[in-house]
Structure formats: structure tokens, C-alpha cells
Amino acid sequence: MQRYGSVIGVKEDQIAQYKKLHAAVWPDVLAMITACNIRNYSIYLRKLPDGKHYLFAYFEYVGSDFKADMARMAADATTQKWWSVCMPCQEPLGDRGEGNWWADMEEVFHCP
């Protein structure tokens, strides 16, 4: 199992919409997340001292080919529709990795 953390900005005027979307995630999106070997997926919201709001995501990957599973998820039509309603709420960080929407975070501590 591999743990992943990532961060992205969220537009202040879209926070309510983002929360509303995630209070009722589409069942087929949830099924695809599970089919792609993601478990314990959480997203947290926090306003930081710079005055901006950020989303912090954590999930565990239990598969054996992360790249292939993420490609499978990205190719799924329902997931693409889900992303099309979520992404306008978000503000990607300028220093995220090439081709990434969310910026990866480094794990510095874990207590099992």
C-alpha cells in the first residue's frame, strides 16, 4: 500500500459548490475510485494565512500499477464529467508537476 497526499487551491466563491458536489459524489465515480485501487480517500479544506483556501487530499493506493490505474480513471467518461464540474472550483498551484492538476505533497511522518 502506498499513501498519497496532494494539495490544490479552491476558489472562495466556489467552496459551497465544491462541498455540495462532494456531499453527494456520483455513485459511478465512487465505484471507479474503488476499481482503480484507491482506498481511504479524504479531502480537507483549510484557509491559510495567505488568505486563500486550499484542499488537501489523502488516499491509499492498494494496486500494483498506479500509472495504469490513473490512466483507466482518466479515460472513464463519468469521471471525466465529474472532473468537468469539479475542476472549475479549483485553482491548481503553479509549481505542480507537469501534467498534474493537484500538486503532490511529501510525507514527512506516519504513525501506523
Side-chain angles (χ1 to χ4, degrees):
M1 186 273 294
Q2 176 72 41
R3 294 180 295 278
Y4 287 88
S6 55
V7 60
I8 194 167
V10 61
K11 297 174 184 170
E12 188 167 350
D13 65 347
Q14 295 295 310
I15 291 172
Q17 174 65 10
Y18 196 81
K19 287 181 175 180
K20 181 179 175 184
L21 287 166
H22 286 80
V25 176
W26 303 342
D28 288 347
V29 170
L30 295 174
M32 179 56 63
I33 289 170
T34 299
C36 291
N37 297 303
I38 292 176
R39 306 291 186 272
N40 293 323
Y41 190 4
S42 300
I43 299 174
Y44 297 87
L45 171 68
R46 174 74 175 158
K47 184 177 183 179
L48 294 183
D50 68 358
K52 297 180 181 179
H53 290 82
Y54 295 89
L55 300 168
F56 298 89
Y58 169 84
F59 65 85
E60 298 167 354
Y61 178 71
V62 297
S64 59
D65 189 341
F66 184 75
K67 187 175 179 180
D69 280 331
M70 294 307 100
R72 177 181 176 198
M73 184 179 299
D76 177 64
T78 302
T79 300
Q80 291 174 6
K81 288 179 186 173
W82 174 254
W83 289 346
S84 76
V85 296
C86 291
M87 291 171 80
C89 300
Q90 301 167 333
E91 294 184 306
L93 303 184
D95 64 346
R96 67 189 185 280
E98 184 175 333
N100 291 345
W101 186 248
W102 289 68
D104 295 335
M105 294 191 302
E106 177 184 358
E107 182 180 275
V108 295
F109 176 76
H110 175 72
C111 181

